Amino acid sequence: MSACRWKSFEEDEDRPEKPRRYGVTEIRGPHYSLFNQNLLQDLFESMGPFVDGLKFSGGSHSLMPKSFIKEIADIAHEHNVYVSTGDWAEHLLRRGPSAFKEYVQECKQLGFDTVELNVGTLEIPEDTLLRLVRTVKSGGLRAKPQFAVKFNKSDIPRAGDRAFGAYVVPEPRSSEFIEDVDLLIRRAERCLEAGADMIMIDPDDVCNADAVRADIIAKIVGRLGLEKTMFEASNARTSEWFIQRYGPRVNLFVDHSQVMDLECLRGRKLGKNHSSVLGSSYFLS
């Protein structure tokens, strides 16, 4: 099996320069990986042209000195790499309506370029989510909502519910989760209309160690487009699956150890004879 059935950037056109609108590679930062300034500097000096973004995953920035965060952000910016937050906004909403705006302002001061909003953990009405997206944008940062395919049953609109934006009496939260890709797409579309820059797709139930839900991913890409979506590829097999299926323009979130392999898959001739790691059992219809 060949490494890629699509034309690579080298065969078709040059790899776009940063900042890129497609073919974006975002890497995990602190929380999943232990980074210090020297390691990060070495990483960007060797692979900087292939890295578009660095994410402080899991709210890890909340546990770090502000001076350290600023130093990391400065190093990233020197190599034209944007810096993104991870999950954390849900903790701020408990402090009141002004806390999130203050959080956005602090993120900008620390050097963050993107604020990620994990819709599943926020557990807020859709109009509140759209208001948060607009708050991020008005603060001069990029907004990246993250959606999961499964929704809490309490969040799924029922027949006869009142019009969007109207007040609905809150009900107790359900413990049942239901898969609804159409609801994901509708809410993602509204976030994009409100100014969101990218939609991150939660890997749970879409990409895992054993299989990829090709049907769900195809529906998301078909409606939202490659340029506005990003998928997490937790291993080399998942990265190759995405490149084979959607070509080098797909946006992927990966571990920093996968950057060179991913760039080879995208079509860069980096002197590595990259062979396919996919097995026939990896595909789900």
Side-chain angles (χ1 to χ4, degrees):
M1 184 185 295
S2 63
C4 184
R5 292 173 293 189
W6 288 71
K7 283 187 176 182
S8 69
F9 282 119
E10 290 291 321
E11 295 168 337
D12 191 20
E13 60 183 277
D14 291 334
R15 182 87 156 94
E17 295 295 326
K18 297 190 295 184
R20 288 182 270 262
R21 294 183 296 107
Y22 51 80
V24 172
T25 298
E26 183 174 295
I27 64 172
R28 299 180 181 92
H31 177 65
Y32 286 104
S33 304
L34 182 61
F35 275 122
N36 57 41
Q37 292 94 325
N38 293 334
L39 176 60
L40 198 63
Q41 188 71 50
D42 291 343
L43 188 152
F44 286 146
E45 287 179 359
S46 61
M47 297 186 287
F50 316 136
V51 177
D52 299 270
L54 171 72
K55 181 163 81 170
F56 281 70
S57 300
S60 56
H61 60 282
S62 65
L63 303 176
M64 298 175 183
K66 294 181 180 179
S67 58
F68 177 79
I69 298 173
K70 190 69 170 66
E71 289 172 5
I72 294 295
D74 288 344
I75 293 172
H77 292 154
E78 287 173 7
H79 295 272
N80 200 13
V81 173
Y82 68 80
V83 184
S84 174
T85 69
D87 297 354
W88 189 245
E90 63 271 19
H91 299 286
L92 298 162
L93 297 180
R94 303 168 186 165
R95 303 178 188 173
S98 63
F100 185 77
K101 186 174 183 180
E102 294 170 359
Y103 169 67
V104 172
Q105 294 171 344
E106 183 176 52
C107 285
K108 188 172 184 178
Q109 292 170 0
L110 292 175
F112 285 101
D113 307 286
T114 300
V115 173
E116 188 171 280
L117 302 168
N118 191 322
V119 177
T121 56
L122 283 171
E123 296 185 347
I124 54 176
E126 185 172 309
D127 55 343
T128 303
L129 171 63
L130 299 180
R131 189 160 59 246
L132 296 184
V133 170
R134 296 186 186 102
T135 299
V136 172
K137 296 298 293 181
S138 64
L141 300 179
R142 294 194 289 268
K144 183 174 61 175
Q146 176 174 323
F147 285 90
V149 176
K150 290 187 176 180
F151 291 84
N152 189 293
K153 187 177 180 181
S154 305
D155 296 329
I156 297 179
R158 298 168 301 175
D161 277 352
R162 298 174 69 182
F164 168 71
Y167 177 76
V168 178
V169 178
E171 296 181 0
R173 299 292 294 174
S174 171
S175 59
E176 182 180 355
F177 284 79
I178 298 175
E179 184 177 292
D180 193 334
V181 66
D182 290 316
L183 180 59
L184 181 159
I185 291 169
R186 288 197 302 272
R187 291 190 171 177
E189 286 174 335
R190 287 169 183 155
C191 284
L192 291 172
E193 291 169 0
D197 300 88
M198 183 77 74
I199 301 296
M200 182 76 183
I201 304 300
D202 192 303
D204 293 345
D205 304 311
V206 177
C207 307
N208 56 56
D210 300 317
V212 173
R213 287 292 303 273
D215 55 335
I216 291 177
I217 294 170
K219 201 166 189 178
I220 292 171
V221 171
R223 289 276 297 276
L224 302 180
L226 281 177
E227 185 179 324
K228 292 296 185 179
T229 51
M230 177 175 287
F231 297 92
E232 179 173 352
S234 59
N235 54 58
R237 296 201 308 167
T238 305
S239 295
E240 185 172 358
W241 185 91
F242 274 108
I243 299 298
Q244 282 197 331
R245 192 60 71 96
Y246 295 105
R249 289 175 172 79
V250 65
N251 304 315
L252 294 176
F253 173 55
V254 301
D255 187 78
H256 71 277
S257 62
Q258 300 176 40
V259 169
M260 296 298 276
D261 286 346
L262 176 56
E263 199 64 22
C264 287
L265 289 167
R266 291 194 194 277
R268 286 276 190 172
K269 292 179 174 61
L270 302 178
K272 178 173 179 178
N273 181 19
H274 187 93
S275 59
S276 176
V277 295
L278 285 177
S280 59
S281 63
Y282 197 62
F283 297 92
L284 271 184
S285 59

